[in-house]
Amino acid sequence: MNAFLSWSILLAPITAAVLIGLFTKQNSKLSSKLSIGAIGFSFLMTLLLAAVNSGTPEIPVTSSVTWLEVGGLKVELGMIIDPLSMMMLLVVTGVGTAIHIFSLGYMKDDPSLGRYFGFLSLFTFSMLGIVLASNFFQMFIFWELVGVSSYLLIGFWFERKPAAAACQKAFIVNRLGDFGFLIGIILIWSITGSLDFGEISGAFTENPALLGASTAIAGLLIFCGVLGKSAQFPLHVWLPDAMEGPTPVSALIHAATMVAAGVYLLCRTLFLFELPTSWPEDFAWLNGVSSLHIVALIGAITSIMAALIATRQDDIKRILAYSTLSQLGYMVMAVGLGGAAAGMFHLTTHAFFKALLFLGAGSVIYAAHHEQDIWKLGGLRKKMPVTFWTFLIGTLALCGAPPFSGFYSKEEVLLAAYQSNVVLFVLAAITAVLTTFYMFRLVFVAFGGSAKSESADHAHESPSVMTTPLVFLAVLSVVGGWLGIGGYFGHFFDHGAVHHGHHENQTVVMFIGIGAIIFGFFPAFFMYHGAESDPLKKGLGGIGEFLKNRMLIDEAYQWFISRTHEALARLADWIDRWILAGFLVKGIQFTGEFTGRALRLAQTGNTQTYALLFGLGLAVALFVILL
C-alpha cells in the first residue's frame, strides 16, 4: 500500500507535465485543469498515506527496485516514508495545491498559460522526487531536475531581460553548490561503498570513524548543496533576483519548497554531520570545530545579513525574498546547533505563512496593475480587505507573535540557540527585531495611509480564485503551531529524549521573543505609519545606501569575476585570436599562399621568359662557381 501510494504521489505531476508538453500546451484551460488535478490528486494520496501510517509506531520504508548495477556501484529507485518525508510531502502537495489554484487568477491573461502549468507540474514532480528519494544518487537526479524546473519558471517571461538574466544567475550559482554536493556524494560512496541513506547510516553506526580524516570535509561538501538550494551565504545572491519570475512561482519555489530542499537535505543526512569530527592534517588548526558549528555560523550570518538588507528594500517581493533568506538562515542555524526538530518545525510553519505573504503580494501586484514599489502603493487596507487581513496574519506569524504558528516554531529555534551558543542567540534575537521592523514597515506603507499612485488608487480586491487560497493559508498560519508538528519532529530526531531545563529556558526565550516583536513594531509604527517617504533614507546615510545596494555583494562578485574568470577569458581569446588562429593557422596559410603566388609569377607559359630565366640562372650558377 505504501509503495502504491508513494509512486502515485510522485508520478501524477510528471504525467500532467508530459500530457501538457505533448498535447495540451496550446489549450490553457485544459492544461491548468491537468496540472491542478495532478497536484490535488497527489495531496489526497498524501493524506491517505498519512492516515494509513498514523497508527504505526514506526513508519516503514517502502521497498526499492534495482535500477543500475555496474561493478561496485548499485543504484536503486526507492521511496522512503518516515516522519521527515511525510511532513514534507504534506507541505509540498498542500501548499502547492493552493498556489496552483491561485495561479489560475493571477496568470489568467498570460498567452503561455499552458506552458506555465506544464513547468509547475515538472517542478512539483522534481521536488517530490527529492522528498521521497532513498539514496544520494536518486536525490541528486531530482536535485538537478529542480534546478532545471526553477530555471524554466524564473525565466518564464524570458522576453524580459531581467528575467532571462535572473534564471541564468540562479542556474549557475546553484551549479556551484551542486558541484561540491556531487563531490561529497562520490567521496562518501568511495569509502562506504553505498549510496543508500539507510545503509550509510548503519555503516556509520557500526564504525563512526569510517570516513577517517574526511569526516568534516564530507559533511561540508554535502552542505554545499544546501548553500545553493537554500540560498545561504555566500551563494545567496540568486534568490532576490529570482523574484523576476511570476509571483506564484516565488511562493512555490522560494517560500515553500525549493529553498526548503536544502534544509531537508541537511536533516536527511544529519547522521553524517553528527559523526565525531575529524580533519585532514592540513586542517589540523580546525580541530575542535565540527561541521555543524560551521553550518550554524553560516546560518546565523545569512539570517542577520538578509534581515538588515530587507530594512532598506522598496520592492514588495524583494523584501519578502530577503525575509525568506533570513528565515532559511534561522532553520540552518537551528540544525547546526543540534535543533533539527526546531529547524524542520520552522520550515513547515514558514511554508504556510511565507507562501501566504508571497501570494498576498501577488494579489496586491495584480490589483495595482503590476506595481511592486511599496512607495507607489498605499491605501490598500480598505480597497483589499481580504488580502490585507490575510497578509497581516502572515506578517504576525512571520514575526513570531502569539498565538500564530511562527510563534511556536521561532521560539524553538531561539531556544536551540539559547541552549547552545549565546553569541548566535543574540544575533537571532536581533534578527527577530529586524524582522518585525521591516515587515510592519511594508504593511504600514503598502496598506496604510493613502494611495500614492494612480495604480494604487484604482486597486480593488482580487477574485475569489485568488483570495480563497489566501484564506486557506491564513488558517494554516494561525493553527500550524497547535498541530503538534514540533513534537512530531522532536520524537523523530530526539527519539523521545527528555531535555532537562527545557521549560525554564523556554520561558526566558518566550519573553525575549515577545520583547523582540515589541522592539521591532514600535519603531516601525512611529516611522512609517502614514509616512510619505522613507525616513531611513536620510537617517542612515551611506549605511542605508549600502544596505539598499545589498551590501554590494553582487558588485564584489562582479569585480572578482572580472579580475579572474573574465581576465582568463580575455587572455584565452587573445591567445586563440593571435597565436593559434593568427600565427599558427593563418601564418601557415599565408606562407603557403605567398609561396604559391610567388611561384605562379614564374609560370607564365612564355618561351622567351623561360629562356631569360634559364640564362639568368646559368649566369648566377657560373658566378657562384667561379667566385
Side-chain angles (χ1 to χ4, degrees):
M1 186 65 173
N2 281 328
F4 171 75
L5 291 174
S6 57
W7 280 106
S8 299
I9 293 168
L10 177 64
L11 295 179
I14 191 59
T15 302
V18 171
L19 290 175
I20 292 171
L22 294 179
F23 305 109
T24 71
K25 187 170 62 175
Q26 303 304 321
N27 189 330
S28 300
K29 186 173 294 186
L30 182 56
S31 295
S32 61
K33 289 181 179 179
L34 282 171
S35 183
I36 296 173
I39 193 169
F41 174 80
S42 293
F43 181 46
L44 292 176
M45 291 298 100
T46 302
L47 293 174
L48 181 57
L49 184 65
V52 167
N53 292 280
S54 61
T56 56
E58 294 292 335
I59 300 179
V61 177
T62 60
S63 59
S64 301
V65 294
T66 300
W67 178 24
L68 178 67
E69 190 168 3
V70 180
L73 175 64
K74 182 179 181 181
V75 180
E76 294 184 334
L77 285 178
M79 300 290 145
I80 184 168
I81 303 297
D82 59 9
L84 186 59
S85 61
M86 193 72 254
M87 187 57 68
M88 280 296 293
L89 284 177
L90 288 168
V91 168
V92 174
T93 58
V95 176
T97 299
I99 293 171
H100 275 64
I101 294 173
F102 181 91
S103 296
L104 272 179
Y106 189 87
M107 300 289 292
K108 68 175 183 178
D109 297 324
D110 196 286
S112 300
L113 188 63
R115 176 167 60 90
Y116 171 81
F117 274 104
F119 289 166
L120 277 188
S121 292
L122 176 62
F123 172 83
T124 304
F125 163 73
S126 306
M127 188 64 209
L128 290 173
I130 289 178
V131 175
L132 291 167
S134 62
N135 58 75
F136 273 119
F137 191 91
Q138 186 178 342
M139 175 173 278
F140 189 78
I141 289 176
F142 285 106
W143 196 266
E144 295 305 300
L145 279 174
V146 163
V148 172
S149 306
S150 64
Y151 169 82
L152 295 172
L153 286 167
I154 295 169
F156 178 73
W157 290 319
F158 57 85
E159 65 277 3
R160 295 170 46 195
K161 288 185 178 180
C167 69
Q168 293 176 45
K169 184 176 183 179
F171 191 81
I172 293 171
V173 172
N174 271 275
R175 297 294 71 72
L176 294 174
D178 294 353
F179 181 67
F181 182 27
L182 179 60
I183 294 175
I185 292 174
I186 294 172
L187 175 62
I188 293 171
W189 170 74
S190 67
I191 295 175
T192 64
S194 176
L195 293 170
D196 185 86
F197 295 133
E199 292 179 4
I200 296 173
S201 179
F204 289 147
T205 302
E206 293 180 6
N207 182 10
L210 185 61
L211 288 176
S214 302
T215 303
I217 297 295
L220 292 178
L221 285 171
I222 296 300
F223 183 59
C224 285
V226 182
L227 290 177
K229 281 291 186 291
S230 286
Q232 296 297 287
F233 176 84
L235 298 184
H236 66 283
V237 292
W238 68 269
L239 184 63
D241 289 350
M243 297 301 107
E244 293 294 337
T247 302
V249 170
S250 302
L252 180 65
I253 295 181
H254 310 122
T257 56
M258 175 181 169
V259 292
V263 181
Y264 176 77
L265 169 64
L266 199 57
C267 292
R268 174 60 69 199
T269 59
L270 192 61
F271 57 83
L272 178 64
F273 294 87
E274 292 178 334
L275 294 172
T277 303
S278 181
W279 293 91
E281 291 184 5
D282 294 339
F283 296 89
W285 54 279
L286 284 173
N287 287 336
V289 178
S290 71
S291 53
L292 279 179
H293 290 149
I294 297 175
V295 168
L297 179 61
I298 289 178
I301 292 172
T302 304
S303 185
I304 193 165
M305 175 198 69
L308 285 168
I309 295 174
T311 61
R312 285 290 289 118
Q313 300 304 305
D314 296 330
D315 185 298
I316 187 171
K317 286 176 66 177
R318 200 169 287 273
I319 294 171
L320 296 179
Y322 279 105
S323 174
T324 300
L325 280 175
S326 184
Q327 297 305 305
L328 287 167
Y330 256 21
M331 301 170 205
V332 171
M333 180 189 69
V335 177
L337 293 173
M344 284 302 300
F345 185 17
H346 196 53
L347 182 154
T348 305
T349 60
H350 178 265
F352 301 153
F353 55 72
K354 188 53 67 67
L356 168 61
L357 289 170
F358 266 112
L359 294 187
S363 179
V364 169
I365 294 168
Y366 177 85
H369 307 286
H370 295 279
E371 180 57 67
Q372 296 184 199
D373 189 338
I374 60 173
W375 294 103
K376 294 181 181 179
L377 297 174
L380 299 180
R381 181 174 64 85
K382 294 181 179 179
K383 296 177 181 293
M384 306 179 69
V386 177
T387 299
F388 167 71
W389 286 109
T390 54
F391 196 92
L392 181 61
I393 289 172
T395 298
L396 291 169
L398 172 59
C399 296
F404 300 94
S405 60
F407 167 73
Y408 300 96
S409 59
K410 184 174 284 189
E411 182 182 337
E412 291 297 318
V413 172
L414 292 173
L415 182 62
Y418 184 81
Q419 293 177 328
S420 303
N421 191 300
V422 175
V423 175
L424 296 189
F425 172 73
V426 172
L427 291 178
I430 295 173
T431 301
V433 175
L434 293 171
T435 300
T436 304
F437 175 79
Y438 67 68
M439 283 307 302
F440 275 98
R441 169 182 179 265
L442 190 163
V443 171
F444 289 137
V445 174
F447 290 93
S450 57
K452 302 177 181 66
S453 69
E454 186 176 346
S455 297
D457 190 45
H458 293 146
H460 53 80
E461 186 59 271
S462 299
S464 59
V465 71
M466 297 171 67
T467 56
T468 301
L470 294 180
V471 174
F472 169 71
L473 291 170
V475 172
L476 290 177
S477 298
V478 174
V479 306
W482 312 343
L483 302 177
I485 298 172
Y488 181 76
F489 284 123
H491 179 78
F492 176 72
F493 286 107
D494 302 331
H495 307 292
V498 178
H499 301 281
H500 299 288
H502 179 87
H503 295 293
E504 294 80 359
N505 294 335
Q506 196 169 34
T507 302
V508 174
V509 169
M510 180 183 70
F511 281 110
I512 292 175
I514 294 175
I517 298 172
I518 295 172
F519 279 106
F521 174 80
F522 282 104
F525 178 81
F526 289 120
M527 293 174 67
Y528 292 103
H529 183 65
E532 295 295 326
S533 61
D534 193 347
L536 283 182
K537 186 174 183 179
K538 294 182 179 179
L540 292 178
I543 296 176
E545 286 303 305
F546 177 66
L547 296 178
K548 187 175 180 63
N549 292 321
R550 302 178 286 184
M551 294 187 175
L552 300 177
I553 295 174
D554 285 82
E555 288 76 6
Y557 279 155
Q558 186 60 48
W559 177 87
F560 179 76
I561 291 171
S562 67
R563 296 299 186 279
T564 54
H565 180 272
E566 290 183 5
L568 288 173
R570 287 192 292 269
L571 176 61
D573 175 69
W574 186 88
I575 292 173
D576 179 66
R577 189 182 302 274
W578 298 104
I579 304 299
L580 298 178
F583 179 73
L584 295 179
V585 177
K586 291 184 178 179
I588 294 173
Q589 172 204 350
F590 176 77
T591 302
E593 182 180 359
F594 178 79
T595 304
R597 287 179 180 273
L599 291 175
R600 189 180 65 184
L601 294 175
Q603 301 298 319
T604 63
N606 189 298
T607 305
Q608 291 88 341
T609 302
Y610 293 155
L612 176 62
L613 292 175
F614 177 79
L616 289 174
L618 181 61
V620 171
L622 290 172
F623 177 79
V624 172
I625 294 172
L626 295 175
L627 186 64

